[in-house]
Amino acid sequence: MKRIAVLGSTGSIGTQTLDVVRMHPDLLRVTALGCGRSIELLEKQIREFHPAVAAVFDRKAAEDLRARVKDLPVRVVSGMDGLIAMCSSDDVDVVVTGIVGMIGIRPTIAAIEAGKDIALANKETCVTAGHIIMPLARKHQVRILPVDSEHSAIFQSLQGRAGSRIGRIILTASGGPFRRMTAEQLSQVTVKEALAHPTWSMGPKVTIDSASMVNKGLEVIEACWLFNVTPDQVEVVIQPQSAIHSAVEYEDGSILAQMGVSDMRIPIQYALTWPEHLPSPAAQLDLFALGHLDFERPRDDLFRGLPLAISAARTGGSMPCVFNAANEWANARFRKGGIRFTEIYDIIEAAMAAHQVIRDPSVDDILQIEEEIDRRLDETFQES
């Protein structure tokens, strides 16, 4: 029986993780749940899964939750200290980091230091702090098991490779809903249109990132850390059917790819049951219905988030943190109707151009950079 903590249990990754647990109650048990502030859903999850600990980042929401579940033997903790306590609890074997944003960095580090395996869905952790996370995981002999569909596909394609070396990683992307648009059309995209992803069901922040191709840029940076490759060894390929989730090319030219339906429960489950492929709640891929596979080059001149991310990865140091923080601010601003879709790229590019790189940033440096970028952008757009 593997004991699971789900950080971000009320979000897209978290709720799908619980679907997997429901299918394998003899193998997986939820012992801790955590979220930002969505306590109505969290209460339902607590009553179903009976965790020993529930963490809520928002302290007021945590007080409300305590009152709601006072009839249950669950300890409710709050704030960043609460998230850290939940992830490093003695009765946890693996932490699913499904929470969105840089808020996931400190709990992930605490979990690693406590010897917990990490089912990693919070890509910001690797993007901004991969130079801290990966050596720390090696030091504590902790497994980092990727949950992103693309990184899970790469991970699966690497199983059994023995001493074979990677030639390149082929990171696939659906291309999002706008890949056929002109620059003028892209500048007029609405929030509603950007949230209508053609193949994947994700939270709003990640869905916007996918539409802008920024998400693929973040995945390139993450892949470099997870699989110890350079940005030049990662090639992004548009695969509109989203049937091939990514692939690995070895030095002899052989390519091993992972295919399946577009259902996040497959990579979530593999991270929790590795190295076993067990029955999952997802449907099977119908190859006859699929019919064909298409491959296209990314339009880097239009979807500038991808080349900007690759530039940040090549620069290294604190630059990926700047890329990520500026995008988080711009993504949220777009969803509120404050900027046009294409201004996301302008904001990221300007933030990167203004930044003085820190070669080996600490966690405090990383979080301070995020605060400074948020403050500077708030002031800039308030003045305009």
Side-chain angles (χ1 to χ4, degrees):
M1 181 68 72
K2 190 174 290 185
R3 301 169 297 176
I4 310 296
V6 186
L7 180 62
S9 67
T10 60
S12 175
I13 293 295
T15 54
Q16 291 178 91
T17 298
L18 297 179
D19 279 347
V20 171
V21 174
R22 290 184 186 100
M23 185 152 189
H24 297 286
D26 55 330
L27 297 176
L28 305 171
R29 180 164 63 93
V30 174
T31 56
L33 294 169
C35 74
R37 60 177 62 87
S38 302
I39 59 169
E40 288 190 10
L41 179 53
L42 183 58
E43 180 189 355
K44 292 178 183 177
Q45 293 173 345
I46 291 170
R47 292 188 180 279
E48 177 180 0
F49 293 97
H50 308 289
V53 179
V56 183
F57 185 67
D58 185 285
R59 295 185 185 277
K60 184 179 184 304
E63 287 297 325
D64 292 343
L65 181 66
R66 285 190 187 97
R68 287 169 174 260
V69 296
K70 61 184 180 182
D71 60 313
L72 298 175
V74 57
R75 180 166 64 99
V76 177
V77 293
S78 63
M80 180 55 69
D81 290 343
L83 299 184
I84 289 172
M86 165 201 149
C87 291
S88 54
S89 176
D90 288 341
D91 62 349
V92 168
D93 300 312
V94 58
V95 177
V96 179
T97 59
I99 202 164
V100 175
M102 291 164 69
I103 189 177
I105 295 175
R106 290 195 189 278
T108 302
I109 289 174
I112 292 171
E113 290 176 336
K116 317 301 180 186
D117 287 339
I118 305 297
L120 184 68
N122 175 264
K123 60 173 57 67
E124 293 86 357
T125 296
C126 247
V127 167
T128 64
H131 63 291
I132 297 172
I133 296 295
M134 300 310 291
L136 193 65
R138 288 191 291 270
K139 175 183 176 181
H140 291 277
Q141 299 182 343
V142 162
R143 298 185 184 94
I144 304 291
L145 300 162
V147 165
D148 259 1
S149 62
E150 294 83 358
H151 299 107
S152 176
I154 296 163
F155 181 60
Q156 292 179 57
S157 298
L158 288 170
Q159 299 305 301
R161 66 171 173 148
S164 302
R165 293 197 298 178
I166 297 171
R168 63 174 171 154
I169 283 173
I170 301 169
L171 192 68
T172 60
S174 70
F178 310 135
R179 74 181 198 279
R180 302 294 190 199
M181 282 188 173
T182 65
E184 176 60 27
Q185 289 172 325
L186 196 65
S187 70
Q188 302 302 317
V189 161
T190 67
V191 176
K192 182 179 180 180
E193 289 170 336
L195 287 171
H197 196 280
T199 52
W200 289 101
S201 174
M202 303 173 289
K205 192 268 181 183
V206 179
T207 302
I208 299 297
D209 282 349
S210 181
S212 69
M213 289 288 286
V214 165
N215 196 53
K216 205 53 52 178
L218 294 170
E219 289 174 4
V220 169
I221 301 171
E222 186 178 8
C224 291
W225 286 114
L226 289 175
F227 306 112
N228 193 29
V229 294
T230 68
D232 294 327
Q233 287 178 281
V234 183
E235 181 175 6
V236 175
V237 175
I238 305 298
Q239 207 287 291
Q241 293 83 15
S242 293
I244 295 179
H245 299 303
S246 279
V248 175
E249 181 183 70
Y250 292 95
E251 289 187 313
D252 64 356
S254 300
I255 295 177
L256 299 184
Q258 186 266 340
M259 296 179 67
V261 295
S262 300
D263 192 319
M264 280 302 300
R265 292 175 297 182
I266 294 174
I268 290 169
Q269 178 172 296
Y270 189 68
L272 295 177
T273 63
W274 173 85
E276 303 292 336
H277 289 272
L278 302 178
S280 88
Q284 290 185 319
L285 180 64
D286 185 338
L287 294 175
F288 297 108
L290 180 65
H292 62 94
L293 295 169
D294 299 313
F295 303 93
E296 303 170 10
R297 294 184 186 277
R299 297 174 65 190
D300 289 351
D301 58 328
L302 194 60
F303 297 94
R304 293 185 287 126
L306 179 55
L308 285 169
I310 293 170
S311 173
R314 286 174 176 152
T315 301
S318 56
M319 191 61 83
C321 177
V322 174
F323 174 88
N324 180 78
N327 174 66
E328 283 195 11
W329 188 95
N331 182 308
R333 186 82 171 197
F334 170 72
R335 281 182 280 138
K336 294 175 183 176
I339 60 171
R340 291 181 301 166
F341 186 76
T342 49
E343 286 184 278
I344 292 172
Y345 307 129
D346 299 334
I347 288 167
I348 296 170
E349 188 170 25
M352 289 173 61
H355 181 63
Q356 294 293 318
V357 175
I358 302 171
R359 278 292 122 210
D360 187 23
S362 65
V363 172
D364 287 340
D365 290 331
I366 291 166
L367 298 176
Q368 186 176 353
I369 287 168
E370 180 187 35
E371 291 176 4
E372 289 175 353
I373 287 175
D374 286 350
R375 184 179 66 252
R376 190 182 312 127
L377 288 171
D378 284 341
E379 291 172 353
T380 299
F381 279 80
Q382 186 176 21
E383 290 171 1
S384 61

